[in-house]
Amino acid sequence: MLALGIDPGSAICGWGIVEQKHGNLSAKSYGAIKTSPKAKMQDRLLKIYTELTDLIKIFQPEVIGVEKLFFGRNSTTAIPVGQARGIILLCAAQNNLDLVEITPNEVKMSITGYGGADKNQVIYMVTKILNLSEPPKPDDTADALAIAIAASYEANNFARRNFL
């Protein structure tokens, strides 16, 4: 099974493709969609939409995982992140993909076993779980891979529950 994980953002939208085969996980590809802060918001969202659509066509994942919107201290970033999430949800719907929405704490729990893990712990575990030679960069990409891993686990658990 292939899972596409996305860390939504309008400036940097991290993505990662994880394959689960015979109980093992591996990173098939990962990166970040970067947009210019000088570009109009509609152009930034169009770039995210176009690149995500291309990734879905190339890799054909069965599930897409995306972080649920989290209102932290900086609520001004919530609106552009919400807009990027909308694009991601649209891509999932247009391609008839199963969608796993997951909170940051749920991702951390899934990856490290502790919902309060810090970013360095998550990056370390993503690197180990996927047997990467070095930590993925930028951090948004590591977060996307963590989301893909968690979405893969969730989709696998859902399939098992429905099979039994």
Side-chain angles (χ1 to χ4, degrees):
M1 175 184 50
L2 285 178
L4 168 60
I6 303 173
D7 182 29
S10 59
I12 300 174
C13 185
W15 61 271
I17 305 278
V18 169
E19 181 176 35
Q20 185 177 52
K21 199 176 204 179
H22 307 297
N24 296 317
L25 292 170
S26 62
K28 299 308 281 179
S29 190
Y30 51 90
I33 300 167
K34 297 178 182 179
T35 66
S36 170
K38 295 178 184 176
K40 295 178 187 173
M41 182 53 82
Q42 66 262 33
D43 295 331
R44 295 170 89 176
L45 294 173
L46 178 60
K47 182 176 182 179
I48 293 167
Y49 172 80
T50 302
E51 291 193 28
L52 278 181
T53 300
D54 289 345
L55 286 169
I56 291 168
K57 284 180 184 173
I58 292 166
F59 291 100
Q60 300 179 354
E62 288 104 325
V63 65
I64 188 167
V66 64
E67 222 171 45
K68 284 185 181 176
L69 193 54
F70 172 73
F71 288 98
R73 281 180 247 139
N74 190 354
S75 62
T76 57
T77 61
I79 292 171
V81 169
Q83 291 170 327
R85 267 188 99 254
I87 294 298
I88 295 159
L89 299 180
L90 174 64
C91 286
Q94 284 183 327
N95 291 280
N96 200 29
L97 296 172
D98 288 336
L99 179 68
V100 175
E101 295 182 89
I102 191 163
T103 67
N105 284 357
E106 290 169 335
V107 171
K108 292 173 186 178
M109 178 64 87
S110 181
I111 301 302
T112 69
Y114 172 58
D118 67 28
K119 187 167 286 294
N120 289 331
Q121 291 170 311
V122 172
I123 292 170
Y124 174 81
M125 287 306 297
V126 165
T127 305
K128 291 298 178 195
I129 290 168
L130 298 175
N131 199 27
L132 301 173
S133 58
E134 59 187 41
K137 301 278 187 209
D139 289 353
D140 308 84
T141 300
D143 290 345
L145 285 168
I147 294 164
I149 293 167
S152 177
Y153 290 158
E154 182 63 29
N156 200 27
N157 287 337
F158 180 77
R160 249 191 238 125
R161 283 191 303 266
N162 287 332
F163 182 73
L164 298 175

